[in-house]
Amino acid sequence: MSDRGYRRPRPLSPLREHLRDTFWFAPTMGFVCVFALWLVASEVDDEIVRFLQREEAYDELGSLISFVQDAKTIVTTISSAMMTFIGVVFSISLVAVQMASGQLTPRVVRIFVRSRISKLTMTVFLATFLFSLLVLTSYESEADPRRVVSVPLLQSLLTLVLVGLSVLLFVVYVSATLRLMQVGPVVDRIARDSFRVLGRMPRGPGGAEGLGPETGRVVYQGRAGVLRDVNTARLVRAARRQDVVLRLIPRIGDFVVPGTPVVAVHGGDAPSRRLRYAVSVGVERTLHQDLSFGLRQLVDIALRALSTSVNDPTTAVQCLDRIVQFLAAVVDLPLGTVHHRDRSGRVRLVQEGPAWDDLVDLAFEEIRWCVAGSPQVSRRLLAGLDDLLLLAPEERKQPLVRHRELLVQTVERTVPVAADREFALLPDRQGIG
């Protein structure tokens, strides 16, 4: 059995992806870094004062004290205004995200949560606020150069630098947030995330033959939720130590409840202790290992656009563009069962993934049910199916042909006028170009 495109999983990959789905990690790291920066800058400022006092350069030191006292007014203003600025900016941003989720799909909120520019902006804003407070503790009322202990010169300059960086990031952040409210950038981001998942996922054909008899099962004992990902590196190591083959029973994206069997063991005893933290369950799906979740989001946006309350077929056409793009990228790739191997090349973990038929049905089934009365969408859907039929190998054309025939039947049944039927069944990559 071949495993074309197999990539060994990285051990820290699940942890890294879970941290990207949080909004607290980056600001927390920012707090730690800014506190360390303040300690270093404070020590440098103290050393500058001690050096000038040793050299008896009291005039120069007096000039620094005067400059720092003038800068204290700016730092005080920054510390008092920064938190208000943060509250206003992110309140407006949350309203924008809420509008985007209502117009497109609630799943676009994760784009904002995972956005690097959003996290960087929040981190820098909060770091500037914290740093300004720390700098204020370094100012002294003593103005005599001979008796002064601390002159926060470098700290004041760093505060001004952080303010300038905050202003720059504010402009970039507003631009990125406005793009989040537009359909084109959102579906493009979903498509790019899907291709990123496709690029790092192992792929390989074949079933579970050759595994031998099943000798045990491991049941899930955590909280109920969606299977977001599995730590394949941990499972492969556990199977290698136990000299068994493990088979993941649910697919990524399935809802699991306590007591559900999640791993089948072939060839020996179950290494249950090592599997305890190998399965990650959450309240919603993620794109980390879920190959079909990108399609699910695009279909959701298209369905909402085709609903009678929205009636926006152009948005549905934009989603179909990306759906066809994704299917064209996987049309000749091995899909379905994935075999994870250890260092010696032996299969240690068998994982079920979406097959070609599953992806095609997910992409077109629900949209096809909603095309009645929307010739723009039916024309684009026909053009996409025709393009995929040209690219697909012979063994993968059948589901595409089936959806094309059902689409033609749907239009013929729901459109009574012959001229309108002919128009709606004319393939057009722009819908109605």
Side-chain angles (χ1 to χ4, degrees), residues 16 19 150 205 297 336 346 432:
R16 181 176 59 252
L19 290 178
S150 176
Q297 294 180 79
R346 294 186 59 185
I432 301 178

Side-chain angles (χ1 to χ4, degrees), residues 251-295:
R251 280 169 43 171
I252 300 297
D254 287 355
F255 191 87
V256 296
V257 298
T260 302
V262 290
V263 175
V265 184
H266 297 262
D269 298 330
S272 57
R273 291 185 178 180
R274 301 184 185 277
L275 306 184
R276 181 177 180 183
Y277 301 106
V279 177
S280 174
V281 172
V283 296
E284 61 180 356
R285 298 166 67 176
T286 69
L287 269 169
H288 177 212
Q289 296 178 356
D290 198 338
L291 184 61
S292 59
F293 186 46
L295 281 180

Side-chain angles (χ1 to χ4, degrees), residues 51-82:
F51 173 78
L52 293 177
Q53 288 175 341
R54 286 196 303 267
E55 298 295 326
E56 297 184 352
Y58 297 118
D59 292 339
E60 290 80 358
L61 184 55
S63 299
L64 292 182
I65 294 174
S66 177
F67 172 79
V68 168
Q69 290 299 323
D70 293 337
K72 181 179 180 180
T73 305
I74 301 176
V75 175
T76 304
T77 304
I78 291 171
S79 63
S80 61
M82 201 65 193

Side-chain angles (χ1 to χ4, degrees), residues 41-54 149:
S42 179
E43 183 61 31
V44 172
D45 286 334
D46 293 347
E47 183 60 33
I48 292 175
V49 171
R50 290 192 291 267
F51 173 78
L52 293 177
Q53 288 175 341
R54 286 196 303 267
V149 177

Side-chain angles (χ1 to χ4, degrees), residues 315-338:
T315 295
V317 168
Q318 289 180 277
C319 294
L320 282 171
D321 292 339
R322 300 299 181 175
I323 289 172
V324 172
Q325 178 191 6
F326 180 81
L327 292 178
V330 302
V331 69
D332 59 348
L333 295 179
L335 299 170
T337 305
V338 179

